[in-house]
Amino acid sequence: MSNDPLLQPYQLKHLRLRNRIMITSHEPAYSENGMPTERYRAYHVERAKAGVALTMTAGSAAVSLDSPPVFDNLLVYKDEIVPWMKDLTDECHEHGAAVMIQLTHLGRRTRWDKGEWLPALSPSHRREAAHRAFPKKMEEWDIQRIIKDYTDAAERMVAAGLDGIELQAYGHLMDQFWSPLTNTLDGPYGGNLDNRLRFTFELLKSIRQRVGDDFIVGLRYTGDEMLAGGLSMTDGLSISQRLKDSGMVDFLNVVRGHIDTDAGLTDVIPIQGMRNSPHLDFAGEIRTATDMPTFHAAKIPDVATARHAIVSGKVDMVGMTRAHMTDPHIIRKIIAGDEDNIRPCVGANYCLDRIYQGGAAFCIHNAATGRELSMPHDIPKAEVRKKIVIVGAGPGGLEAARVAAERGHEVVVFEALNDAGGQIRLTAQSPRRQEMIGIIDWRMSQCERLGVRFHFNTYAEVDNIQAEKPDVVIIATGGLPDTEVLDKGNELVVSSWDILSRSIQPGSNVLLFDDAGDHAALQAAEVIANSGANLEIITPDRSFAPEVMAMNLVPYMRTLQQQAVTFTVTYRLKSVSRDGDQLLATIGSDYDDGSRDFTQTRRVDQVIINHGTLPFDDLYFELRGLSSNEGEVNYNDLIHGTPQALTHNHEGQFQLFRIGDAISARNTHAAIYDALRLVKDL
Ligand SMILES: Cc1cc2nc3c(=O)[nH]c(=O)nc-3n(C[C@H](O)[C@H](O)[C@H](O)COP(=O)(O)O)c2cc1C
Ligand code: SF4
């Protein structure tokens, strides 16, 4: 047996967990009508098969009708969930993983205009900034009803054969009772800490009476809200001790911080550029003080940090949640001594930000995650070996190269620059976003392992391609900034990429027009603001940077709000003209109905435009006539996973495809998904 501390089993009551790595609860929004159907099951089973010890399913599964889901959470208040959870649990059990589920009532952390349109509620009328509901202040009958709802939900999970449950108490109803900031009730459920904990202990008692002593029940809770007037660390330690002393709780899953604002949530679940494992020591302090089985997750992205968490005795089970979204096979690779091949989580937080936008969780650089029913994590070998030439070594081109090489094909990549990376290399210029380069580095190391041949500093032309005698050519040349958006003065502006690449220095009085709403604008803004310039960001959108999304916005705002930056929404840059050694920017509005003059002007020394990219597609169009399919993709085959077989030109020398921004400006995930989806069937 291995002596790797991470691979040692852990005995939790009667339950033997096969190693020390768990996936903490996270709702990926894969449910259908609140049920964990095939896709949901496949996601967890993939990770169970690869060796995870415990998967905490769901995330904020709703116990009550007046806790409507905010991101397609599971509805554990419905009896029909039992067979679905049973199927998921049975299949994970077959592969040796334990299965639990996180149950909750969201309290004020939801909206009233979802589900059954019942009022949101909380132990006070105080609104949560993030979800915006003004809650009803709870009455006694709400308390008794919700305790019963939790208890019924717990019983359903026993019926489904789960190993245990975890009650959520950070930012949700349970700790809304605990925190003086969110509980203005009088006794018996408000006032001193004993009163504020009464709901929790009545609830635990009720659950225990129903499920017995053997079923595992834990809490995932904040031990320190890190908010003025909120629960302090002393309160947290006292709560932890009382949970232990109650004898009703089997494990503590420790969180530190508050999640009522985007900024608070981002400190609890740090993203790229933020410190690794910032709350691990705190979890260790709770473990030392209570001697309780302690779980914890918060940006422990790599095996070395996870190993440290266990060896140092700070936790008993270490959560690697986003890390498992990026690479579901972490444990299999640890066991095989193949850690170097683990695909790294780069903290891009595309996964989490998407669910807050109402989408499903996808990993920025593993397009198979959440698509286990249609996309392979392990690429199958092709029956016939082909020669595949790829032009462009950005994320899409490298994914195409990796997948093609995994299929057993001979792969050649042409790249005009002397390094791989494309737009990601530009992104990683910002120190805060350096982790992004992991997307490229991992693919380069995989390509190296698989024998892909690279031609750097080579501007591929038709001749180069033909000389390779390829069966398939994939154009992954990306795009170039499109700044031609003005009625007049396009020649006077620079692009956000010019600033990011440092090929143009920031001016001192700068206007940045952003109607792409993506990272490039805010990254350029950081460079400009940090240079000490005055900066105004203008967008025609209703809010700025919509593609950046909630948690990713936090570090930008922490920089930009410290600098001379103003944001102007709902205005559109129309034209730029010279005005002595300055530029005169004319600004209009999409709301202009001709009734009044909406025009404004700004006098600045630099105008920057961020308007996405135009495809860099000359080579593609030159090659089209030489190809058998004339570049056409059969979308039905693409979606259904059948090989591309269109032939328009019987004289064609090869099949030709385009992926990523070489088609149209999208994002990294789209480029990687284009590549995986196409090449897995070539
Ligand atoms: C898509 C997604 C959804 C999440 N939903 C929940 C949730 O419902 N409840 C919860 O306690 N934590 C939730 N989390 C937080 C994770 O459990 C975990 O604490 C967080 O991702 C930090 O751990 P990591 O750095 O290992 O990913 C979610 C995380 C992700 C990525
Ligand atoms: S999207 Fe980013 S943070 Fe989320 S799992 Fe993937 S690499 Fe990690």
Side-chain angles (χ1 to χ4, degrees), residues 22-29 43 58-61 71 73 102 104 106 166 168-170 172 220 253 255 265 268-270 296-301 318-325 345 349-353 355-356 360-362:
M22 69 181 289
I23 296 175
T24 57
S25 158
H26 62 296
E27 178 49 64
Y43 172 80
S60 320
F71 34 77
N73 308 74
Q102 181 182 76
T104 204
L106 292 160
E166 164 183 276
Q168 209 280 17
Y170 66 104
H172 290 196
R220 187 171 208 206
N253 189 351
V255 166
L265 179 65
V268 168
I269 306 177
H296 174 68
K299 200 169 190 249
I300 299 176
V318 58
M320 296 185 77
T321 303
R322 285 171 296 178
H324 267 91
M325 297 191 83
C345 171
N349 220 46
Y350 187 63
C351 49
L352 198 48
D353 268 335
I355 64 171
Y356 282 104
F362 290 125

Side-chain angles (χ1 to χ4, degrees), residues 15-32:
L15 181 67
R16 185 181 159 88
L17 298 168
R18 61 181 153 177
N19 58 54
R20 300 305 185 97
I21 299 183
M22 69 181 289
I23 296 175
T24 57
S25 158
H26 62 296
E27 178 49 64
Y30 302 152
S31 69
E32 289 179 287

Side-chain angles (χ1 to χ4, degrees), residues 438-451:
I439 295 173
I440 300 304
D441 289 348
W442 180 76
R443 287 186 169 74
M444 283 304 287
S445 70
Q446 295 303 301
C447 286
E448 204 171 298
R449 177 177 66 81
L450 295 161

Side-chain angles (χ1 to χ4, degrees), residues 96-345:
V99 180
M100 301 191 195
I101 188 171
Q102 181 182 76
L103 306 182
T104 204
H105 192 297
L106 292 160
R108 65 179 193 155
R109 190 176 168 75
T110 182
R111 296 185 59 90
W112 45 265
D113 57 357
K114 298 216 163 212
E116 304 295 336
W117 281 63
L118 295 169
L121 53 62
S122 192
S124 79
H125 286 301
R126 290 187 188 147
R127 178 200 210 188
E128 192 215 51
H131 291 80
R132 306 176 56 80
F134 291 102
K136 166 195 169 178
K137 187 167 166 179
M138 290 173 79
E139 299 171 71
E140 185 84 17
W141 60 268
D142 289 314
I143 294 175
Q144 297 316 320
R145 169 175 62 81
I146 292 171
I147 287 177
K148 179 173 180 309
D149 287 347
Y150 265 101
T151 312
D152 291 344
E155 189 175 15
R156 284 184 196 102
M157 296 305 105
V158 175
L162 275 77
D163 299 290
I165 57 172
E166 164 183 276
L167 309 178
Q168 209 280 17
Y170 66 104
H172 290 196
L173 182 65
M174 189 174 279
D175 62 302
Q176 287 162 29
F177 273 96
W178 298 358
S179 173
L181 294 174
T182 44
N183 185 343
T184 58
L185 294 171
D186 298 325
Y189 294 95
N192 62 28
L193 186 59
D194 282 335
N195 282 354
R196 285 183 273 126
L197 287 170
R198 191 176 308 281
F199 172 76
T200 298
F201 286 116
E202 285 185 0
L203 173 52
L204 281 166
K205 199 166 157 199
S206 168
I207 289 178
R208 274 289 171 222
Q209 278 169 355
R210 190 84 68 84
V211 304
D213 287 338
D214 286 346
F215 194 59
I216 289 172
V217 178
L219 245 79
R220 187 171 208 206
Y221 69 108
T222 178
D224 178 3
E225 277 191 293
M226 301 181 86
L227 261 184
L231 292 169
S232 65
M233 187 171 166
T234 314
D235 295 327
L237 283 169
S238 167
I239 292 170
S240 311
Q241 196 58 48
R242 289 170 200 223
L243 289 170
K244 177 184 182 173
D245 294 345
S246 76
M248 294 186 283
V249 176
D250 299 314
F251 66 85
L252 302 178
N253 189 351
V254 178
V255 166
R256 187 179 205 185
H258 61 99
I259 61 169
D260 54 325
T261 59
D262 293 342
L265 179 65
T266 310
D267 289 332
V268 168
I269 306 177
I271 66 169
Q272 60 186 204
M274 298 171 79
R275 201 152 71 79
N276 278 359
S277 60
H279 309 308
L280 180 60
D281 289 344
F282 177 72
E285 285 179 48
I286 299 238
R287 183 174 185 265
T288 305
T290 59
D291 202 23
M292 282 283 284
T294 303
F295 304 173
H296 174 68
K299 200 169 190 249
I300 299 176
D302 57 88
V303 174
T305 314
R307 207 168 267 135
H308 160 73
I310 298 295
V311 174
S312 60
K314 293 186 193 297
V315 297
D316 297 290
M317 293 294 296
V318 58
M320 296 185 77
T321 303
R322 285 171 296 178
H324 267 91
M325 297 191 83
T326 322
D327 192 333
H329 302 153
I330 292 177
I331 294 156
R332 195 180 77 197
K333 290 179 184 173
I334 298 176
I335 293 171
D338 199 17
E339 280 172 35
D340 288 350
N341 281 317
I342 292 174
R343 186 183 324 215
C345 171

